């Protein structure tokens, strides 16, 4: 499944928003890296270490087709998220 997804801390609602051409495999890779302590996003890794895996949930935010520009879709979605609630910060830096 191609699209935009999130990993959300259930305790503080902070989100990591990402994109993939295979969301299921990408999310599994995120959690494998988080469990091993080697995730590329240090903010997400620290939160995962502090709060534990049970306090994170994943969600598919937008399903895309192969012709969609995923970079643009991710930017649009993250911008929309910030406009909805400026107090909710994402783990991934804004563009």
């Amino acid at each position: 499944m191609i699209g935009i997804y999130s990993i959300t801390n259930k305790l503080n609602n902070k989100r990591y928003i990402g994109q993939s051409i295979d969301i299921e495999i990408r999310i599994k890779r995120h959690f494998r890296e988080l469990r091993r302590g080697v995730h590329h996003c240090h903010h997400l890794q620290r939160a995962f270490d502090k709060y534990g895996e049970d306090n994170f949930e994943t969600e598919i935010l937008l399903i895309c087709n192969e012709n969609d520009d995923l970079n643009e879709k991710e930017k649009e979605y993250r911008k929309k998220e910030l406009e909805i609630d400026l107090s909710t910060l994402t783990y991934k830096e804004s563009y």
Side-chain angles (χ1 to χ4, degrees):
M1 183 179 325
I2 302 168
I4 309 300
Y5 62 90
S6 68
I7 301 172
T8 303
N9 181 326
K10 295 188 282 187
L11 300 176
N12 61 19
N13 292 319
K14 289 185 179 180
R15 290 184 185 211
Y16 174 96
I17 296 175
Q19 59 171 289
S20 181
I21 58 170
D22 192 328
I23 293 174
E24 289 179 25
I25 289 175
R26 183 64 183 119
I27 288 173
K28 287 178 184 178
R29 183 174 170 203
H30 277 295
F31 279 93
R32 185 173 56 246
E33 291 173 357
L34 288 164
R35 287 184 204 110
R36 292 178 56 215
V38 297
H39 197 274
H40 69 276
C41 178
H42 300 291
H43 296 292
L44 180 58
Q45 183 68 62
R46 283 194 298 268
F48 186 87
D49 294 343
K50 180 177 181 178
Y51 299 113
E53 184 171 348
D54 291 340
N55 287 307
F56 288 83
E57 63 187 3
T58 60
E59 180 181 4
I60 296 172
L61 303 174
L62 181 66
I63 297 172
C64 301
N65 66 52
E66 60 190 35
N67 297 322
D68 288 332
D69 181 349
L70 287 179
N71 290 327
E72 198 58 40
K73 294 286 186 187
E74 181 183 356
K75 280 200 264 187
E76 289 172 14
Y77 198 88
R78 291 172 66 242
K79 182 179 177 184
K80 183 177 12 173
E81 285 284 300
L82 289 174
E83 289 171 353
I84 291 171
D85 183 357
L86 292 175
S87 67
T88 300
L89 302 176
T90 59
Y91 285 115
K92 205 171 186 180
E93 295 89 18
S94 298
Y95 292 111

XYZ file of all heavy atoms in Angstrom:
814
model
N 0.840 -1.178 0.000
C 0.000 0.000 0.000
C 0.889 1.247 0.000
O 1.783 1.374 0.820
C -0.910 -0.029 1.232
C -1.873 1.114 1.269
S -2.989 1.092 2.713
C -3.283 -0.617 2.986
N 0.644 2.141 -0.896
C 1.401 3.376 -1.057
C 0.692 4.491 -0.305
O -0.527 4.619 -0.394
C 1.502 3.765 -2.549
C 2.168 2.643 -3.350
C 2.247 5.080 -2.728
C 2.053 2.817 -4.847
N 1.461 5.304 0.434
C 0.803 6.430 1.079
C 1.576 7.076 2.201
O 2.786 6.917 2.330
N 0.819 7.800 3.030
C 1.347 8.572 4.154
C 0.844 7.901 5.437
O -0.321 7.502 5.512
C 0.851 10.036 4.093
C 1.098 10.661 2.703
C 1.478 10.876 5.210
C 2.528 10.704 2.264
N 1.712 7.791 6.428
C 1.358 7.117 7.674
C 1.894 7.926 8.850
O 2.696 8.852 8.690
C 1.956 5.705 7.713
C 3.461 5.725 7.665
C 4.214 5.781 8.835
C 4.142 5.753 6.458
C 5.596 5.842 8.792
C 5.511 5.813 6.402
C 6.241 5.859 7.574
O 7.603 5.942 7.531
N 1.443 7.562 10.051
C 1.982 8.209 11.243
C 2.257 7.168 12.314
O 1.636 6.106 12.353
C 1.021 9.269 11.783
O -0.142 8.665 12.297
N 3.211 7.503 13.174
C 3.469 6.777 14.407
C 3.237 7.801 15.506
O 3.914 8.828 15.546
C 4.912 6.238 14.470
C 5.182 5.291 13.295
C 5.170 5.550 15.816
C 6.638 4.871 13.160
N 2.250 7.554 16.361
C 1.824 8.541 17.345
C 2.081 8.058 18.762
O 1.770 6.917 19.107
C 0.317 8.844 17.189
O 0.070 9.283 15.852
C -0.137 9.918 18.165
N 2.642 8.952 19.567
C 2.803 8.710 20.994
C 1.435 8.944 21.626
O 0.903 10.052 21.592
C 3.848 9.673 21.562
C 4.097 9.482 23.035
O 3.201 9.144 23.794
N 5.328 9.717 23.435
N 0.843 7.897 22.197
C -0.508 7.992 22.758
C -0.560 8.862 24.015
O -1.631 9.337 24.385
C -1.047 6.602 23.083
C -1.242 5.730 21.854
C -1.956 4.445 22.165
C -1.049 3.437 22.801
N -1.689 2.108 22.960
N 0.575 9.096 24.652
C 0.588 9.879 25.889
C 0.623 11.386 25.646
O 0.065 12.153 26.428
C 1.764 9.460 26.765
C 1.762 7.989 27.189
C 3.015 7.660 27.967
C 0.509 7.672 27.985
N 1.314 11.819 24.577
C 1.414 13.263 24.335
C 0.979 13.674 22.928
O 1.060 14.840 22.566
C 2.833 13.762 24.619
C 3.874 13.104 23.735
O 3.575 12.547 22.685
N 5.120 13.158 24.171
N 0.523 12.707 22.136
C 0.016 12.932 20.772
C 1.043 13.462 19.789
O 0.673 13.920 18.706
C -1.220 13.834 20.782
C -2.402 13.148 21.422
O -2.625 11.967 21.200
N -3.128 13.875 22.241
N 2.326 13.411 20.121
C 3.340 13.796 19.135
C 3.419 12.703 18.082
O 3.293 11.520 18.381
C 4.695 13.995 19.796
C 4.742 15.238 20.658
C 6.131 15.465 21.184
C 6.188 16.723 22.031
N 7.535 16.957 22.554
N 3.616 13.130 16.829
C 3.594 12.200 15.704
C 4.866 12.251 14.880
O 5.434 13.306 14.680
C 2.468 12.554 14.737
C 1.111 12.310 15.193
C 0.174 12.638 14.053
N -1.192 12.524 14.466
C -2.175 12.163 13.665
N -1.930 11.926 12.400
N -3.387 12.072 14.108
N 5.209 11.097 14.381
C 6.177 10.979 13.304
C 5.335 10.724 12.065
O 4.536 9.782 12.043
C 7.128 9.809 13.560
C 8.074 9.538 12.422
C 9.353 10.068 12.426
C 7.688 8.763 11.336
C 10.225 9.827 11.380
C 8.548 8.522 10.288
C 9.809 9.055 10.315
O 10.673 8.819 9.279
N 5.465 11.540 11.050
C 4.722 11.355 9.803
C 5.710 10.974 8.715
O 6.753 11.609 8.554
C 3.941 12.632 9.424
C 2.883 12.918 10.492
C 3.292 12.478 8.047
C 2.124 14.204 10.292
N 5.379 9.918 7.985
C 6.267 9.446 6.925
C 5.486 9.003 5.706
O 4.261 9.059 5.670
N 6.228 8.538 4.726
C 5.657 8.096 3.455
C 6.338 6.808 3.037
O 7.468 6.531 3.440
C 5.900 9.151 2.383
C 7.389 9.424 2.192
C 7.681 10.279 1.003
O 7.543 9.818 -0.117
N 8.086 11.519 1.247
N 5.645 6.013 2.247
C 6.261 4.786 1.753
C 5.497 4.248 0.558
O 4.298 4.477 0.419
C 6.289 3.721 2.852
O 6.904 2.541 2.375
N 6.208 3.492 -0.273
C 5.544 2.774 -1.356
C 5.042 1.419 -0.843
O 4.315 0.730 -1.538
C 6.456 2.600 -2.590
C 7.734 1.860 -2.231
C 6.756 3.952 -3.225
C 8.559 1.444 -3.429
N 5.426 1.039 0.381
C 4.905 -0.160 1.046
C 4.812 0.136 2.538
O 5.743 -0.112 3.301
C 5.789 -1.369 0.776
C 5.128 -2.666 1.204
O 4.354 -2.662 2.191
O 5.368 -3.689 0.545
N 3.691 0.695 2.955
C 3.528 1.183 4.322
C 3.725 0.079 5.363
O 4.401 0.298 6.369
C 2.138 1.845 4.496
C 2.064 3.130 3.652
C 1.868 2.164 5.957
C 0.686 3.774 3.633
N 3.159 -1.095 5.137
C 3.268 -2.166 6.133
C 4.717 -2.542 6.403
O 5.133 -2.661 7.561
C 2.480 -3.392 5.683
C 0.981 -3.186 5.735
C 0.219 -4.418 5.259
O 0.765 -5.534 5.342
O -0.914 -4.247 4.816
N 5.495 -2.714 5.361
C 6.909 -3.063 5.533
C 7.663 -1.916 6.192
O 8.497 -2.127 7.074
C 7.545 -3.451 4.179
C 6.990 -4.807 3.735
C 9.069 -3.488 4.274
C 7.433 -5.246 2.362
N 7.366 -0.685 5.808
C 8.067 0.478 6.375
C 7.796 0.608 7.873
O 8.709 0.873 8.652
C 7.673 1.765 5.635
C 8.408 2.984 6.127
C 9.912 2.842 5.851
N 10.634 3.970 6.384
C 11.578 3.878 7.326
N 11.916 2.704 7.820
N 12.199 4.954 7.754
N 6.545 0.428 8.281
C 6.222 0.533 9.704
C 6.926 -0.574 10.489
O 7.469 -0.331 11.574
C 4.695 0.521 9.919
C 4.114 1.863 9.438
C 4.344 0.274 11.385
C 2.599 1.931 9.435
N 6.944 -1.792 9.955
C 7.664 -2.886 10.620
C 9.135 -2.538 10.779
O 9.747 -2.811 11.823
C 7.509 -4.184 9.834
C 6.141 -4.785 9.960
C 6.026 -6.044 9.124
C 4.603 -6.587 9.175
N 4.444 -7.782 8.337
N 9.721 -1.912 9.756
C 11.139 -1.523 9.818
C 11.356 -0.459 10.899
O 12.345 -0.514 11.643
C 11.601 -1.010 8.462
C 13.058 -0.656 8.430
C 13.501 -0.291 7.036
N 14.828 0.277 7.067
C 15.304 1.053 6.137
N 14.584 1.356 5.082
N 16.515 1.536 6.240
N 10.437 0.523 10.975
C 10.541 1.541 12.025
C 10.620 0.887 13.401
O 11.509 1.188 14.200
C 9.319 2.479 12.018
C 9.384 3.588 11.034
N 10.318 4.595 11.092
C 8.589 3.863 9.967
C 10.102 5.444 10.094
N 9.065 5.023 9.399
N 9.685 -0.017 13.685
C 9.635 -0.625 15.009
C 10.819 -1.556 15.256
O 11.311 -1.634 16.384
C 8.290 -1.320 15.242
C 7.224 -0.343 15.640
C 6.402 0.235 14.686
C 7.076 0.033 16.963
C 5.435 1.160 15.043
C 6.114 0.965 17.337
C 5.294 1.532 16.377
N 11.306 -2.224 14.237
C 12.510 -3.049 14.391
C 13.700 -2.163 14.778
O 14.444 -2.475 15.712
C 12.789 -3.816 13.091
C 13.943 -4.795 13.206
C 14.113 -5.679 11.972
N 14.282 -4.907 10.745
C 13.418 -4.875 9.736
N 12.297 -5.566 9.788
N 13.658 -4.162 8.658
N 13.847 -1.024 14.095
C 14.942 -0.100 14.408
C 14.759 0.525 15.787
O 15.737 0.691 16.532
C 15.034 0.991 13.339
C 15.494 0.473 11.997
C 15.433 1.520 10.903
O 14.970 2.655 11.148
O 15.847 1.194 9.773
N 13.524 0.865 16.150
C 13.268 1.442 17.471
C 13.593 0.441 18.575
O 14.215 0.800 19.582
C 11.807 1.905 17.575
C 11.463 3.150 16.775
C 9.945 3.307 16.620
C 12.065 4.401 17.424
N 13.205 -0.810 18.400
C 13.509 -1.841 19.402
C 15.009 -2.048 19.559
O 15.487 -2.330 20.653
C 12.846 -3.162 19.014
C 11.361 -3.169 19.216
C 10.764 -4.553 18.894
N 9.370 -4.391 18.541
C 8.866 -4.565 17.321
N 9.638 -4.937 16.310
N 7.583 -4.363 17.099
N 15.749 -1.912 18.460
C 17.205 -2.084 18.492
C 17.929 -0.825 18.943
O 19.140 -0.854 19.165
C 17.704 -2.499 17.104
C 17.232 -3.892 16.718
C 17.669 -4.304 15.323
N 19.104 -4.222 15.184
C 19.732 -3.863 14.057
N 19.032 -3.551 12.980
N 21.038 -3.818 14.012
N 17.203 0.307 19.026
C 17.812 1.559 19.462
C 18.620 2.264 18.395
O 19.501 3.062 18.709
N 18.293 2.019 17.120
C 19.081 2.585 16.020
C 18.241 3.401 15.037
O 18.655 3.610 13.893
C 19.852 1.478 15.258
C 20.857 0.797 16.163
C 18.889 0.450 14.654
N 17.085 3.880 15.468
C 16.223 4.630 14.556
C 16.878 5.957 14.170
O 17.511 6.607 14.989
C 14.856 4.888 15.204
C 13.813 5.276 14.216
N 13.629 6.581 13.807
C 12.909 4.528 13.533
C 12.645 6.616 12.929
N 12.183 5.389 12.748
N 16.700 6.361 12.904
C 17.331 7.578 12.391
C 16.769 8.861 13.013
O 17.447 9.880 13.043
C 17.205 7.649 10.866
C 15.801 7.878 10.399
N 14.886 6.858 10.246
C 15.146 9.018 10.087
C 13.737 7.363 9.841
N 13.865 8.674 9.734
N 15.532 8.815 13.497
C 14.928 10.001 14.112
C 15.179 9.938 15.620
O 14.520 9.192 16.344
C 13.433 10.050 13.810
S 12.610 11.460 14.586
N 16.145 10.717 16.076
C 16.562 10.659 17.479
C 15.446 11.064 18.441
O 15.331 10.507 19.536
C 17.807 11.516 17.698
C 18.960 11.068 16.858
N 19.618 9.875 17.072
C 19.538 11.625 15.769
C 20.558 9.726 16.169
N 20.539 10.771 15.355
N 14.593 12.005 18.043
C 13.471 12.411 18.900
C 12.515 11.239 19.115
O 12.086 10.975 20.238
C 12.707 13.594 18.296
C 13.509 14.840 18.192
N 13.913 15.546 19.299
C 13.976 15.511 17.124
C 14.597 16.600 18.912
N 14.660 16.609 17.587
N 12.187 10.554 18.033
C 11.296 9.407 18.137
C 11.954 8.290 18.937
O 11.309 7.664 19.785
C 10.894 8.916 16.747
C 9.955 7.716 16.684
C 8.649 7.990 17.434
C 9.674 7.346 15.233
N 13.229 8.059 18.710
C 13.939 7.005 19.441
C 13.943 7.275 20.947
O 13.671 6.384 21.746
C 15.378 6.869 18.930
C 16.151 5.743 19.597
C 15.622 4.373 19.217
O 15.650 3.999 18.049
N 15.131 3.618 20.186
N 14.221 8.514 21.332
C 14.233 8.851 22.764
C 12.845 8.679 23.381
O 12.713 8.171 24.502
C 14.750 10.268 22.974
C 16.262 10.363 22.846
C 16.809 11.671 23.383
N 16.324 12.836 22.676
C 16.924 13.404 21.630
N 18.051 12.909 21.179
N 16.419 14.470 21.055
N 11.815 9.085 22.656
C 10.450 8.936 23.167
C 10.085 7.453 23.295
O 9.482 7.036 24.286
C 9.466 9.660 22.255
N 10.456 6.666 22.315
C 10.185 5.236 22.341
C 10.893 4.585 23.527
O 10.303 3.781 24.248
C 10.659 4.613 21.023
C 10.309 3.166 20.858
C 9.085 2.794 20.322
C 11.206 2.180 21.215
C 8.762 1.453 20.145
C 10.897 0.841 21.051
C 9.670 0.473 20.514
N 12.135 4.955 23.746
C 12.896 4.416 24.881
C 12.268 4.826 26.211
O 12.218 4.037 27.154
C 14.344 4.898 24.834
C 15.116 4.349 23.641
O 14.663 3.366 23.021
O 16.178 4.933 23.334
N 11.789 6.045 26.287
C 11.222 6.581 27.530
C 9.832 6.013 27.830
O 9.545 5.626 28.966
C 11.148 8.107 27.444
C 10.579 8.766 28.682
C 10.609 10.281 28.558
C 10.052 10.952 29.814
N 10.130 12.417 29.708
N 8.954 5.974 26.820
C 7.551 5.622 27.047
C 7.205 4.177 26.736
O 6.174 3.682 27.171
C 6.641 6.551 26.235
C 6.786 7.996 26.608
C 7.335 8.916 25.717
C 6.381 8.464 27.863
C 7.470 10.255 26.064
C 6.518 9.793 28.217
C 7.061 10.679 27.302
O 7.196 12.004 27.657
N 8.032 3.506 25.952
C 7.788 2.105 25.623
C 6.889 1.907 24.420
O 6.059 2.753 24.082
N 7.068 0.776 23.791
C 6.361 0.458 22.544
C 4.841 0.480 22.698
O 4.126 0.882 21.782
C 6.804 -0.915 22.047
C 6.212 -1.314 20.734
C 6.834 -2.575 20.160
O 7.879 -3.030 20.650
O 6.240 -3.096 19.193
N 4.338 0.066 23.843
C 2.885 0.009 24.044
C 2.218 1.378 23.984
O 0.994 1.460 23.834
C 2.548 -0.652 25.382
C 2.870 -2.133 25.392
O 2.993 -2.728 24.297
O 3.007 -2.697 26.488
N 2.985 2.429 24.104
C 2.426 3.782 24.079
C 2.526 4.451 22.715
O 2.366 5.672 22.611
C 3.091 4.643 25.152
C 2.615 4.247 26.523
O 1.413 4.194 26.775
N 3.540 3.927 27.410
N 2.745 3.653 21.676
C 2.795 4.163 20.312
C 1.811 3.402 19.442
O 1.623 2.197 19.606
C 4.216 4.049 19.734
C 5.155 5.034 20.352
C 5.769 4.760 21.556
C 5.393 6.258 19.746
C 6.614 5.676 22.154
C 6.237 7.185 20.332
C 6.842 6.895 21.537
N 1.161 4.131 18.539
C 0.233 3.504 17.605
C 0.497 4.028 16.203
O 0.984 5.141 16.029
C -1.213 3.759 18.013
C -1.628 5.214 18.001
C -3.022 5.428 18.566
O -3.659 4.467 19.017
O -3.470 6.581 18.569
N 0.152 3.217 15.226
C 0.334 3.613 13.838
C -1.021 3.845 13.188
O -2.036 3.295 13.614
C 1.094 2.532 13.050
O 0.344 1.325 13.086
C 2.476 2.311 13.628
N -0.988 4.678 12.159
C -2.213 4.984 11.429
C -1.854 5.298 9.983
O -0.864 5.986 9.717
C -2.899 6.197 12.059
C -4.180 6.613 11.403
C -4.804 7.846 12.054
O -4.202 8.430 12.980
O -5.889 8.239 11.605
N -2.651 4.797 9.067
C -2.503 5.166 7.667
C -3.321 6.426 7.468
O -4.528 6.443 7.697
C -2.962 4.045 6.731
C -2.060 2.833 6.930
C -2.944 4.519 5.279
C -2.519 1.590 6.207
N -2.646 7.499 7.091
C -3.287 8.797 6.967
C -3.855 9.050 5.577
O -4.881 9.705 5.434
C -2.295 9.911 7.318
C -1.661 9.816 8.707
C -0.591 10.883 8.860
C -2.725 9.951 9.786
N -3.169 8.549 4.562
C -3.574 8.832 3.194
C -3.072 7.716 2.293
O -1.887 7.393 2.312
C -2.980 10.172 2.741
C -3.301 10.652 1.347
C -4.793 10.962 1.211
C -2.483 11.901 1.014
N -3.969 7.123 1.537
C -3.589 6.113 0.552
C -3.414 6.817 -0.789
O -4.274 7.595 -1.203
C -4.649 5.004 0.464
C -4.747 4.280 1.807
C -4.316 4.033 -0.662
C -5.900 3.297 1.890
N -2.290 6.548 -1.427
C -1.960 7.206 -2.701
C -1.858 6.157 -3.803
O -1.826 4.963 -3.542
C -0.622 7.936 -2.581
S -0.595 9.200 -1.298
N -1.744 6.639 -5.029
C -1.468 5.721 -6.123
C -0.041 5.939 -6.580
O 0.629 6.885 -6.153
C -2.498 5.867 -7.260
C -2.418 7.209 -7.951
O -1.347 7.629 -8.385
N -3.551 7.889 -8.085
N 0.428 5.083 -7.440
C 1.838 5.129 -7.834
C 2.220 6.384 -8.598
O 3.403 6.716 -8.696
C 2.206 3.890 -8.645
C 1.414 3.733 -9.919
C 1.628 2.389 -10.583
O 1.802 1.398 -9.873
O 1.622 2.360 -11.825
N 1.269 7.121 -9.107
C 1.565 8.338 -9.849
C 1.622 9.581 -8.961
O 2.005 10.648 -9.416
C 0.522 8.554 -10.952
C 0.545 7.446 -11.988
O 1.604 6.959 -12.347
N -0.619 7.026 -12.433
N 1.210 9.452 -7.695
C 1.235 10.598 -6.779
C 2.668 10.934 -6.375
O 3.514 10.054 -6.254
C 0.424 10.291 -5.514
C -1.067 10.261 -5.764
O -1.534 10.952 -6.685
O -1.766 9.541 -5.027
N 2.926 12.203 -6.140
C 4.217 12.660 -5.633
C 4.170 12.551 -4.110
O 3.574 13.389 -3.432
C 4.462 14.104 -6.071
C 5.795 14.650 -5.595
O 6.467 14.008 -4.755
O 6.170 15.742 -6.058
N 4.780 11.499 -3.557
C 4.709 11.251 -2.118
C 5.348 12.362 -1.304
O 4.852 12.706 -0.227
C 5.350 9.911 -1.766
C 4.558 8.672 -2.147
C 5.326 7.411 -1.769
C 3.191 8.660 -1.502
N 6.439 12.931 -1.792
C 7.075 14.034 -1.061
C 6.104 15.199 -0.899
O 5.981 15.776 0.185
C 8.343 14.519 -1.771
C 9.459 13.516 -1.699
O 9.595 12.791 -0.720
N 10.264 13.468 -2.738
N 5.413 15.524 -1.968
C 4.458 16.636 -1.927
C 3.268 16.298 -1.034
O 2.811 17.130 -0.253
C 3.993 16.979 -3.341
C 3.371 18.332 -3.470
C 4.278 19.474 -3.027
O 5.483 19.464 -3.304
O 3.747 20.392 -2.374
N 2.772 15.078 -1.128
C 1.633 14.658 -0.303
C 2.000 14.698 1.186
O 1.207 15.133 2.014
C 1.172 13.245 -0.669
C 0.609 13.122 -2.054
C -0.766 13.742 -2.133
C -1.377 13.485 -3.496
N -2.621 14.196 -3.689
N 3.210 14.248 1.519
C 3.647 14.276 2.916
C 3.736 15.712 3.418
O 3.265 16.033 4.515
C 4.997 13.582 3.080
C 5.489 13.558 4.517
C 6.854 12.925 4.667
O 7.430 12.427 3.672
O 7.363 12.940 5.796
N 4.320 16.596 2.621
C 4.412 18.009 3.014
C 3.028 18.608 3.226
O 2.793 19.313 4.199
C 5.160 18.816 1.952
C 6.655 18.680 2.022
C 7.330 19.828 1.319
C 7.725 19.559 -0.065
N 8.519 20.595 -0.705
N 2.112 18.328 2.303
C 0.755 18.859 2.415
C 0.081 18.354 3.693
O -0.580 19.115 4.396
C -0.081 18.436 1.205
C 0.294 19.122 -0.084
C -0.423 18.524 -1.285
O -1.411 17.765 -1.104
O 0.021 18.794 -2.412
N 0.243 17.072 3.979
C -0.410 16.507 5.150
C 0.165 17.088 6.437
O -0.570 17.439 7.356
C -0.295 14.978 5.176
C -1.317 14.413 6.122
C -2.597 14.121 5.678
C -1.040 14.261 7.470
C -3.555 13.664 6.549
C -1.996 13.811 8.344
C -3.250 13.506 7.879
O -4.207 13.070 8.748
N 1.479 17.211 6.502
C 2.113 17.747 7.705
C 1.746 19.211 7.900
O 1.523 19.665 9.018
C 3.608 17.525 7.637
C 3.917 16.023 7.772
C 5.352 15.637 7.530
N 6.211 16.190 8.532
C 7.189 17.053 8.268
N 7.420 17.458 7.051
N 7.947 17.501 9.228
N 1.633 19.959 6.814
C 1.225 21.353 6.911
C -0.207 21.448 7.427
O -0.514 22.258 8.298
C 1.335 22.032 5.546
C 0.969 23.492 5.569
C 1.108 24.128 4.199
C 0.660 25.567 4.247
N 0.674 26.197 2.938
N -1.077 20.588 6.921
C -2.470 20.559 7.364
C -2.539 20.225 8.860
O -3.300 20.830 9.597
C -3.252 19.523 6.563
C -4.710 19.486 6.911
C -5.577 18.525 6.096
C -4.900 17.537 5.241
N -5.816 16.567 4.634
N -1.727 19.288 9.308
C -1.686 18.914 10.721
C -1.300 20.104 11.592
O -1.896 20.342 12.634
C -0.679 17.792 10.956
C -1.133 16.452 10.495
C -2.147 15.828 11.429
O -1.826 15.613 12.603
O -3.268 15.563 10.967
N -0.307 20.869 11.155
C 0.136 22.027 11.929
C -0.923 23.124 11.953
O -1.092 23.799 12.956
C 1.453 22.574 11.385
C 2.666 21.694 11.634
C 3.886 22.265 10.925
C 2.940 21.543 13.121
N -1.643 23.283 10.864
C -2.696 24.285 10.821
C -3.859 23.910 11.730
O -4.503 24.769 12.317
C -3.206 24.464 9.391
C -2.196 25.151 8.494
C -2.599 25.143 7.032
O -3.612 24.494 6.675
O -1.899 25.772 6.241
N -4.127 22.621 11.873
C -5.234 22.158 12.715
C -4.941 22.406 14.188
O -5.790 22.875 14.933
C -5.507 20.664 12.456
C -6.087 20.484 11.050
C -6.453 20.092 13.500
C -6.184 19.054 10.610
N -3.721 22.090 14.629
C -3.402 22.216 16.051
C -1.933 22.578 16.200
O -1.076 21.714 16.168
C -3.718 20.916 16.780
C -3.489 20.998 18.272
O -3.032 22.052 18.750
O -3.791 20.019 18.962
N -1.656 23.832 16.371
C -0.268 24.283 16.467
C 0.433 23.766 17.714
O 1.657 23.755 17.784
C -0.210 25.812 16.427
C -0.607 26.440 15.100
C -0.629 27.962 15.209
C 0.328 26.005 13.992
N -0.305 23.300 18.708
C 0.331 22.786 19.921
C 0.831 21.366 19.755
O 1.605 20.873 20.566
C -0.640 22.845 21.092
O -1.710 21.955 20.902
N 0.394 20.672 18.709
C 0.859 19.319 18.448
C 2.081 19.399 17.541
O 1.964 19.815 16.408
C -0.244 18.490 17.768
O -1.369 18.453 18.627
C 0.229 17.082 17.490
N 3.206 18.987 18.054
C 4.440 19.021 17.274
C 4.727 17.634 16.729
O 4.398 16.641 17.352
C 5.594 19.477 18.159
C 5.416 20.845 18.803
C 6.588 21.146 19.730
C 5.284 21.921 17.751
N 5.360 17.581 15.571
C 5.734 16.287 15.010
C 7.169 15.983 15.387
O 7.961 16.869 15.684
C 5.603 16.290 13.475
O 6.438 17.302 12.946
C 4.168 16.508 13.047
N 7.513 14.709 15.391
C 8.881 14.301 15.666
C 9.802 14.650 14.494
O 10.970 14.890 14.668
C 8.958 12.797 15.909
C 8.430 12.380 17.261
C 7.313 11.590 17.372
C 9.056 12.792 18.414
C 6.838 11.194 18.614
C 8.591 12.418 19.660
C 7.484 11.619 19.748
O 7.018 11.224 20.974
N 9.258 14.669 13.304
C 10.036 14.965 12.113
C 9.990 16.474 11.877
O 8.942 17.077 11.948
C 9.393 14.226 10.939
C 10.307 13.921 9.816
C 9.564 13.001 8.839
C 10.444 12.522 7.739
N 9.734 11.657 6.816
N 11.111 17.077 11.587
C 11.150 18.521 11.383
C 10.274 18.948 10.222
O 10.122 18.228 9.256
C 12.586 18.999 11.107
C 13.538 18.820 12.243
C 14.211 17.474 12.231
O 14.210 16.795 11.197
O 14.717 17.075 13.283
N 9.701 20.148 10.328
C 8.881 20.687 9.249
C 9.742 21.218 8.122
O 10.873 21.614 8.337
C 8.006 21.819 9.780
O 7.132 21.355 10.755
N 9.169 21.250 6.940
C 9.881 21.813 5.786
C 9.750 23.307 5.775
O 8.827 23.873 6.237
C 9.308 21.246 4.469
C 9.599 19.805 4.283
C 8.586 18.870 4.351
C 10.894 19.364 4.051
C 8.852 17.522 4.171
C 11.157 18.027 3.872
C 10.139 17.120 3.936
O 10.397 15.792 3.754
